[in-house]
Amino acid sequence: MKDFSEDLKKLPAQPGVYIMHDEQDAIIYVGKAVNLHNRVRSYFRKIVGRGPQIDRMVKQINRFEYIVTDSELEALILENNLIKEHRPKYNTMLKDDKTYPWIKVTVGEPYPRILFSRQMKKDKAKYFGPFSSAQAVRQTIELINRMYGLRDCSRVLPRDFGKERPCLNFHMDRCCGPCSGNVPEEEYRGKIDMALEFLAGNYKPVIRDLTAKMEKASEEMKFEEAIRWRDLLQSVQQVAQKQKMSEGVGENRDILGIAVEKENADADGVVQVFFVRDGKLMGREHHYMTHVGGQTPNAILAEFIKQFYAATPFVPREIFLPMEPDDHRLLEEWLSARRGSRVTLFVPKKGKKEKLVELAGENAALILQKDRERLRREEGRTIGAVKEIAQLLGLPAVRRMEAYDISDISGFANVGSMVVYENGKPKRSDYRKFRIKSVAGPNDYACMREVLTRRFRHGLEEQREMEEKNLDAELGSFTRFPDLIMMDGGRGQVNIASAVLRELDLDIPVCGMVKDDNHRTRGLYFNNEELPIDTAGEGFKLITRIQDEAHRFAIEYHRSLRSKAQVTSRLDAIPGVGPARKKALMRRFRSIEDIMAATKEELAAVPEIPERQAEAIWEYFHKNSDNTE
């Protein structure tokens, strides 16, 4: 371990945050301290029993830095922000960093909308929530829009009055159609005011009105209409039982339970949260905490509270806990500042409240037990499968794998695909498509040479740019090279890849996924020999998934190019239809078939298409039968 004695002497005896870096200068741990001098020095003493995870972390420290703050509370806030930004390897992390849904009413617009939102922003809108169920929020929004005939489109009103015909919702009597320009703003505002009353919890006028409409329709023997009002009434009554505005009165509290896996140093934990709003249990959620091995439940709870309540906009007045968390008073101070009023962390000792905390803990333990086997199976399908492949090929370790495929029809629109798997899972953000530029006609080997050359030259250029600019972050998905390249084929494809790598002076293992006469994977071609593989093993199943995924990705790209070529060639043949009008037609009708089926009036309804041009388009597809085949 590196000698930090001189650096440790310079540490101030003040509150602040310390940041540990490894040899690659990556941040591996962030912590806070009341006294930086004492806290940071403690890591480099020979202390027995502080846990294997901390010992591993200390061995990897190459340097540390610190930020002095005015108070311990400021240090806690800064620590939380740094952990959220950098997600250090050895910090206890909240695995599923959720944002809670809100109902947003855009009252700042002339014709407001009611929307689903994951963020509460400082804008002119009104927000209701947060809610634990996204499905319930969407159902509530749909219900309100149906009851009051509100719009859910993205048109800018009144600017877009009359530009397009009213949508299907208007014709189904689900929207009053303000886009037509026939609904006065005052009338629409009245509907929004009633919707706001409903969201604020004033359900009685709505229930009275729907009941009266249902009974009237029934008396007039309009039974279909009566059923519609009845269904709306039942939906409102259901929402009235569940939905509460966040500023509502009554008990607002969260109840936390915890369960921790004790089998290994890299153990996980589960924290169960029960949400009580206005005295009613509204829902529950569970959250995984990673890297909790060797830590006390008190410390895990403290980390959960910091990360969970930093991400959710609503903090309840009370939080019930199974034990007192570390930094109890400091957390209360921070939560109170976030809420804007007093927040209490409470450990109930008897009665119904204690039973609720116990129930949350039992649920957390059940979830941990149930998911343990599922996680083991998932690890076998991913990391276990990768280990099987690495062992078969005699490679020390494989983390990132890239697979390539070519797609064409008799040499038309040659394309290539690159799919990426990391730790046995697809990393779709790194997938890439290649439109072949240098090859005309069917020649898979030449196409593959172009794809691989472009991919790795691009990566080398990005790496050089990083070195020149002294950048730590990756510039793109091409920067990272794979531990293994998997070609869709045998000796020929492997030789092409190996030749490209030699030309670029790269040393990356390449294997071919060999198929039998029935187009089923039978083995891997590696180092000039075909290696048989256990078809019942997870490694074989992963190879099949990778091969199918590369093939699917290439075919989808080729299909999209063929579709675009068909649309472009047909519309290009019509005099007067340029790029702007083609774009307008495709935006309105979505496909060439829909354009062919449209009437003259429907074509002329597109703002960019004059009536004379609409007639020319219609005649092109209908007067000449050759164009419709």
Side-chain angles (χ1 to χ4, degrees), residues 124-333:
K124 295 180 181 179
K126 283 190 176 181
Y127 290 84
F128 295 82
F131 302 95
S132 60
S133 170
Q135 182 183 7
V137 170
R138 291 190 172 94
Q139 289 173 346
T140 301
I141 292 171
E142 182 182 358
L143 170 64
I144 295 171
N145 286 339
R146 286 178 59 194
M147 283 195 304
Y148 300 112
L150 303 178
R151 71 186 186 102
D152 62 0
C153 63
S154 58
R155 297 177 187 178
V156 180
L157 303 181
R159 186 196 73 185
D160 293 342
F161 276 167
K163 283 190 176 181
E164 295 184 43
R165 292 175 298 174
C167 66
L168 188 61
N169 281 343
F170 171 74
H171 297 290
M172 295 175 65
D173 292 327
R174 291 190 172 189
C175 175
C176 62
C179 58
S180 64
N182 298 324
V183 180
E185 188 176 334
E186 296 76 16
E187 179 184 332
Y188 191 87
R189 279 280 173 183
K191 296 175 181 291
I192 286 292
D193 290 340
M194 288 189 288
L196 290 171
E197 282 288 312
F198 178 84
L199 287 169
N202 190 6
Y203 309 113
K204 290 181 181 178
V206 179
I207 292 173
R208 271 199 311 267
D209 181 48
L210 291 174
T211 303
K213 288 178 178 178
M214 179 185 67
E215 290 174 351
K216 182 183 177 183
S218 181
E219 289 170 3
E220 295 174 356
M221 301 186 73
K222 299 177 180 176
F223 297 117
E224 288 186 6
E225 184 180 339
I227 289 172
R228 185 161 64 90
W229 294 124
R230 182 202 65 188
D231 292 345
L232 278 174
L233 177 62
Q234 289 176 348
S235 297
V236 171
Q237 288 171 335
Q238 187 178 12
V239 170
Q241 295 299 316
K242 293 182 178 179
Q243 181 177 303
K244 302 291 177 184
M245 191 176 177
S246 61
E247 285 84 7
V249 295
E251 295 177 346
N252 284 329
R253 61 169 64 110
D254 289 350
I255 299 160
L256 274 57
I258 186 171
V260 181
E261 194 177 14
K262 298 180 179 179
E263 292 180 5
N264 56 71
D266 295 321
D268 287 346
V270 171
V271 177
Q272 176 82 50
V273 187
F274 289 165
F275 301 102
V276 176
R277 299 293 181 263
D278 285 353
K280 296 178 182 177
L281 183 62
M282 301 294 289
R284 65 176 185 173
E285 288 180 351
H286 65 271
H287 300 265
Y288 282 93
M289 302 292 290
T290 60
H291 304 305
V292 302
Q295 297 202 49
T296 65
N298 313 67
I300 299 165
L301 269 180
E303 290 299 326
F304 174 81
I305 290 168
K306 286 188 286 185
Q307 295 176 48
F308 179 77
Y309 291 105
T312 178
F314 180 71
V315 179
R317 188 171 62 87
E318 294 179 325
I319 301 173
F320 288 177
L321 305 165
M323 72 278 297
E324 192 171 285
D326 291 354
D327 302 317
H328 176 269
R329 297 301 171 199
L330 187 63
L331 287 172
E332 281 189 335
E333 186 181 350

Side-chain angles (χ1 to χ4, degrees), residues 1 58 81 129 132 175 214 243 298 307 340 370 411 433 443 455 466 497 519 535 604:
M1 189 173 67
V58 171
N81 291 337
S132 60
C175 175
M214 179 185 67
Q243 181 177 303
N298 313 67
Q307 295 176 48
K370 181 183 70 175
K433 307 168 185 173
N443 189 334
R455 182 265 179 269
M466 288 171 58
H519 210 65
T535 56

Side-chain angles (χ1 to χ4, degrees), residues 522-542:
R522 72 182 187 210
L524 294 179
Y525 182 82
F526 186 66
N527 285 344
N528 296 317
E529 64 175 315
E530 186 176 321
L531 304 174
I533 187 168
D534 179 10
T535 56
E538 292 295 343
F540 173 81
K541 294 173 185 176
L542 176 59

